[in-house]
Each structure stands twice: as C-alpha cells, then as structure tokens.
Amino acid sequence: DRLSLKTPKYRAPNLVVICDISGSMSAYARMMMHFMHALTWAHASGWGRVHGFTFGTQLHNISPQLTIKDPDAALAAIGQHVQDWEGGTRISESLGTFNRDWARRVLSAPAVVLLISDGLERSGLAALEGEIARLALQARELIWLHPLLRWDQFAPQAAGIKAMLPHVSSLVACHNLGSLQDLSDHLNGRRGVDHKARLMRLLA
C-alpha cells in the first residue's frame, strides 16, 4: 500500500514586541502602545500569539493589558501597571531580564521580535552587546524599530547603537504612521526600507 503523505501544517510565528518608554522615547511611546494593541487585536494578522513588553529602568510584561479590547481602556491599564514612563533607560539590564525570565516562555516557539528603542545606552555596553546577541540567537528574526531614522542623515554615533546594530536582522523606521506601513510591508515579506546595511557601512 502506498503511504499517504500529509503536508506539514503551517504554524504562524509568534510576535514579541519590546518597547522602550524612557524619556527620550516619550514622543513615540503612546503611538507605539496603540501599534502594539492593534497588532494584538488584528484579525488574520498572520501571527500566532502577540506578547508585549515595555522597559525604561525595568522590564514590564504588558501582554495581559493588551488583551483588553477597548484601546483607551487598554492604555489606561498599561499606565497603571507600568511605573517607569518617561524616566531613565537601562537597555542592557532590561534585555537581560527578558532573556533570563521570559525568553523561554515566549520564544520557545518560532517568534519574530520587534525591539522599539533609540538605543541611547551610555553604560554597560559590553553587557548590552552580550544581551542583544543572546536575544538575536533565540529569535527567528530580530527587527529594530528606530524613531531617529526619520532623519535622512542619521548616523550610528552613539555607543549603544554601535553595540546593538550588528546583531539585529534589520533596522526599520517607526516615527509616524507612514513608517509603520513600511514596517507592515516588511513583516509581510514585501520589500521595505531596511537601513541596516547603510548604517553598517558607516561603522566600517
């Protein structure tokens, strides 16, 4: 008898969003919270589960709050849950917490990670490079969303950006609704604007 072969069932990857809410990101934080909520509630989005995190001086899991359907109520709940809005930033420490406490839970299945940050870390740069490299190894794809790419002449001058850039899969703008549409195209496999190669040439 001929064996019947079954086509492997496609499993949509999960999406993990880690968003910087420090003072330097305050102009973008609310837009990015709406973006994360929309991803959570998008029908036929092509993703499995969506997990959301914020960090300033510490990491917070906001996935439960994102499941609140009304966006204003969801953002209010996030505001009550997260206490380090518009303060300092500890990127290395926050990514270390994610890698230690959350990666096994939310990256055990194939997942794409969106890291939303300006990368302005001034201390612990060796640790930062280690943590971003560790995160990249655990993700199917690590996409860095950077708001300062709104400037055509943006260059990777900050030490934190130099430490992180080589380890991400791609670098995409996230400063307005138009840039988020470009990101959507990128996530859906359509040709989008990826700034990594250009900025890596500036580091050479």
Side-chain angles (χ1 to χ4, degrees):
D1 293 336
R2 181 177 297 177
L3 293 175
S4 61
L5 300 179
K6 292 185 178 180
T7 303
K9 186 176 181 180
Y10 172 74
R11 182 176 182 181
N14 292 336
L15 184 67
V16 178
V17 187
I18 308 174
C19 185
D20 186 339
I21 57 168
S22 62
S24 61
M25 290 288 293
S26 61
Y28 313 100
R30 184 173 179 84
M31 179 181 73
M32 298 317 300
M33 292 301 105
H34 277 286
F35 173 66
M36 294 166 72
H37 185 267
L39 287 173
T40 302
W41 282 94
H43 297 294
S45 64
W47 300 108
R49 298 189 61 186
V50 177
H51 303 275
F53 297 84
T54 65
F55 70 90
T57 55
Q58 56 188 313
L59 185 79
H60 297 278
N61 174 28
I62 61 167
S63 303
Q65 288 75 29
L66 291 172
T67 62
I68 299 173
K69 189 170 185 178
D70 180 81
D72 291 331
L75 264 64
I78 292 170
Q80 292 179 350
H81 176 64
V82 176
Q83 302 300 316
D84 55 346
W85 292 95
E86 300 184 12
T89 181
R90 296 175 184 163
I91 303 176
S92 176
E93 185 176 320
S94 298
L95 293 184
T97 300
F98 178 85
N99 286 332
R100 184 186 68 244
D101 297 341
W102 291 99
R104 287 188 179 181
R105 305 188 208 185
V106 301
L107 301 180
S108 57
V112 173
V113 177
L114 303 183
L115 176 62
I116 306 168
S117 177
D118 54 18
L120 299 182
E121 179 85 306
R122 296 177 176 83
S123 60
L125 296 175
L128 172 60
E129 186 165 8
E131 295 298 351
I132 194 76
R134 184 180 171 191
L135 176 59
L137 286 173
Q138 298 174 93
R140 171 184 284 189
E141 187 176 2
L142 173 57
I143 303 172
W144 186 0
L145 309 187
H146 202 302
L148 300 185
L149 289 169
R150 68 183 185 275
W151 290 311
D152 293 336
Q153 302 304 315
F154 174 77
Q157 297 178 343
I161 296 174
K162 292 178 181 179
M164 296 168 65
L165 183 60
H167 302 284
V168 301
S169 308
S170 52
L171 184 68
V172 182
C174 68
H175 57 284
N176 58 25
L177 294 178
S179 64
L180 295 183
Q181 181 59 56
D182 289 341
L183 170 63
S184 177
D185 291 343
H186 187 94
L187 292 175
N188 288 320
R190 296 188 289 271
R191 189 179 183 87
V193 180
D194 183 354
H195 298 264
K196 180 182 177 180
R198 175 179 66 84
L199 297 190
M200 286 296 294
R201 287 194 294 270
L202 297 178
L203 291 180

